[in-house]
């Protein structure tokens, strides 16, 4: 379970950083830019993904390794 949480945290972190990179440099990277309902809210969604990643890493760290 710990590895799954770490993997999900890593994916969320990468997509959040790529979303911020897209918003500030207009490079066409990341998956958030493909979601039409997030138009105009890309920065907020990217920051939310980074915060989610930090929370997932914290939960994974608190879990016992099996």
């Amino acid at each position: 379970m710990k590895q799954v949480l770490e993997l999900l945290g890593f994916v969320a972190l990468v997509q959040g950083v790529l979303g911020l990179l897209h918003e500030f440099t207009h490079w066409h990277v990341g998956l958030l830019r493909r979601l039409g309902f997030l138009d105009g809210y890309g920065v907020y969604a990217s920051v939310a993904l980074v915060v989610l990643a930090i929370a997932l890493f914290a939960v994974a760290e608190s879990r016992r390794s099996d």
Side-chain angles (χ1 to χ4, degrees), residues 15-25 32 42-43 46-47 50:
Q15 289 303 314
V17 169
L18 287 176
L20 288 172
L21 191 65
H22 170 71
E23 289 295 324
F24 293 122
T25 64
L32 284 180
V43 173
S46 297
V47 169
V50 170

Side-chain angles (χ1 to χ4, degrees), residues 40-58:
Y41 298 103
V43 173
Y44 301 115
S46 297
V47 169
L49 274 176
V50 170
V51 170
L52 175 66
I54 292 169
L56 285 171
F57 287 139

Side-chain angles (χ1 to χ4, degrees), residues 2-65:
K2 183 176 180 178
Q3 290 85 11
V4 172
L5 290 171
E6 289 173 345
L7 177 67
L8 290 174
F10 177 74
V11 170
L13 181 66
V14 168
Q15 289 303 314
V17 169
L18 287 176
L20 288 172
L21 191 65
H22 170 71
E23 289 295 324
F24 293 122
T25 64
H26 300 291
W27 289 356
H28 298 292
V29 293
L31 294 177
L32 284 180
R33 68 181 181 88
R34 295 184 181 268
L35 300 176
F37 63 90
L38 290 176
D39 284 346
Y41 298 103
V43 173
Y44 301 115
S46 297
V47 169
L49 274 176
V50 170
V51 170
L52 175 66
I54 292 169
L56 285 171
F57 287 139
V59 170
E61 189 63 32
S62 69
R63 304 282 293 186
R64 290 185 326 214
S65 66

